[in-house]
Amino acid sequence: MAEQVWFNGKVVPLKSAKVSVLDRGFLYGDGIFESMRAYGGRVFRLDEHLTRFVASAEALRLPLQYGKKQIKGAIGELLEANDLSDAYIRLALSRGVGGQRLSLEGEFRPTVVMTARPFTGYPREFYRQGMMAVTAGFHTSPDSPALRHKSANYLANILAKNEAEEKGAGEAIFVNANGEVAEGAVSNVFIVEEGAVVTPPLSVGILPGVTRGVVLDLCREQGSACREEAFGLARLFQAEEVFLTNSLMEIMPLASIDDVKIGERVPGEITHRLMGLYREATSAGR
Ligand SMILES: Cc1ncc(COP(=O)(O)O)c(C=O)c1O
């Protein structure tokens, strides 16, 4: 069966979805995207994903001609058209064609594309034994406006992830120009210190991850100690446990960072408990 995509409001075969060479997403990375995971035909935390997407579109003055309701309907159509129930769903919006060079003035014909593909996860042993990570070879800026959005401009993330892969690791962790641990190339970072879960605040210049929000909610619901607080590399390396989150990988324990072993046991007790609670939430569709 030929893959179907949602392209500017219609489900069409992938082959017939074509974008102009003048599209600003192509020319400048002028757009945003959203990565979501469907379990049993339903996207986990869909409202949070669409709220972030619509808020970023507004903040970046990207014209979005579809509302949340239409996008939700399109997800159902797309899963059905591709005969999928567990899937990786990617929604992208570009400013499209229009305007003069970098100017935001003028008329634009935005491009919206959504794909649904079979979900191929991370190796299972990563969840049992932990993934390796490295620190990125360059700093991020805490006040970069792009980092707060899932912008279509992922060059720094691509370079950092590639650097990690060249060193045999699965993820690169960014430290910002103030020496604060920020986030991974495709994930948010958490540490466990004296039994408390700590994650960097949004002010260090990170994406407000949907999974990050779920983990903070799970900790609060359980009455477990958790807080948003900036920390540097020394605390990262000395943490009892370190884990990463994103909508596709869920909660990923780290075994080492820059070849420094993390904690006594991987996954650590708190990470392990959160992994179980997260899985329960996804299977209950909460
Ligand atoms: C840079 C960055 N930070 C954090 C995340 C985690 O976001 P979410 O939990 O919404 O998937 C991602 C996801 O891809 C990301 O690319």
Side-chain angles (χ1 to χ4, degrees):
M1 192 183 66
E3 182 177 344
Q4 306 286 307
V5 300
W6 189 62
F7 182 58
N8 293 334
K10 287 198 197 82
V11 173
V12 298
L14 172 68
K15 267 206 309 215
S16 65
K18 300 266 191 279
V19 179
S20 165
V21 294
L22 297 180
D23 192 289
R24 288 175 54 135
F26 169 67
L27 294 179
Y28 303 119
D30 187 2
I32 52 170
F33 70 104
E34 198 57 50
S35 300
M36 302 170 265
R37 186 165 162 190
Y39 300 82
R42 288 179 57 185
V43 172
F44 184 58
R45 297 291 173 122
L46 178 55
D47 273 317
E48 284 89 335
H49 281 288
L50 294 185
T51 298
R52 177 171 73 189
F53 187 72
V54 170
S56 287
E58 273 170 17
L60 300 170
R61 293 172 57 191
L62 288 160
L64 175 62
Q65 66 276 53
Y66 307 105
K68 285 188 198 170
K69 211 169 144 198
Q70 267 170 303
I71 299 173
K72 283 182 186 175
I75 291 174
E77 261 185 83
L78 198 56
L79 286 173
E80 203 180 306
N82 289 292
D83 196 19
L84 288 170
S85 62
D86 292 331
Y88 157 42
I89 295 173
R90 190 178 193 281
L91 172 64
L93 164 67
S94 127
R95 203 176 305 275
V97 177
Q100 293 290 319
R101 292 179 290 279
L102 298 191
S103 174
L104 293 185
E105 302 307 325
E107 289 288 305
F108 294 94
R109 276 187 285 122
T111 307
V112 181
V113 183
M114 184 157 55
T115 53
R117 297 194 152 175
F119 177 69
T120 49
Y122 290 76
R124 289 177 89 163
E125 67 264 22
F126 281 13
Y127 294 93
R128 289 196 213 111
Q129 292 156 22
M131 193 169 84
M132 285 162 63
V134 295
T135 50
F138 52 94
H139 296 292
T140 53
S141 163
D143 50 13
S144 161
L147 295 177
R148 286 168 180 71
H149 305 285
K150 225 167 146 58
S151 105
N153 209 312
Y154 252 44
L155 204 48
N157 309 53
I158 290 168
L159 294 175
K161 191 102 192 324
N162 182 60
E163 202 181 304
E165 280 163 12
E166 281 178 355
K167 293 178 180 163
E171 178 63 312
I173 296 175
F174 291 119
V175 175
N176 72 18
N178 298 335
E180 296 158 327
V181 172
E183 63 183 343
V186 294
S187 59
N188 289 111
V189 179
F190 287 76
I191 59 173
V192 177
E193 266 180 345
E194 293 175 13
V197 173
V198 185
T199 195
L202 301 184
S203 57
V204 304
I206 58 172
L207 186 77
V210 170
T211 322
R212 173 184 180 277
V214 175
V215 168
L216 290 173
D217 287 349
L218 287 172
C219 289
R220 286 177 193 131
E221 278 167 26
Q222 297 289 310
S224 313
C226 69
R227 58 186 196 276
E228 296 173 59
E229 180 183 285
F231 53 85
L233 276 178
R235 282 173 64 189
L236 180 72
F237 286 116
Q238 281 155 23
E240 288 143 28
E241 304 176 27
V242 180
F243 63 88
L244 306 176
T245 62
N246 85 20
S247 302
L248 302 177
M249 67 164 62
E250 306 178 330
I251 296 177
M252 176 65 78
L254 286 190
S256 67
I257 304 169
D258 292 343
D259 290 329
V260 176
K261 189 174 163 297
I262 302 295
E264 295 288 303
R265 189 154 57 94
V266 179
E269 193 187 320
I270 291 175
T271 309
H272 189 252
R273 193 169 71 230
L274 286 167
M275 288 165 78
L277 291 169
Y278 190 87
R279 291 256 157 94
E280 267 172 40
T282 58
S283 47
R286 279 196 287 119

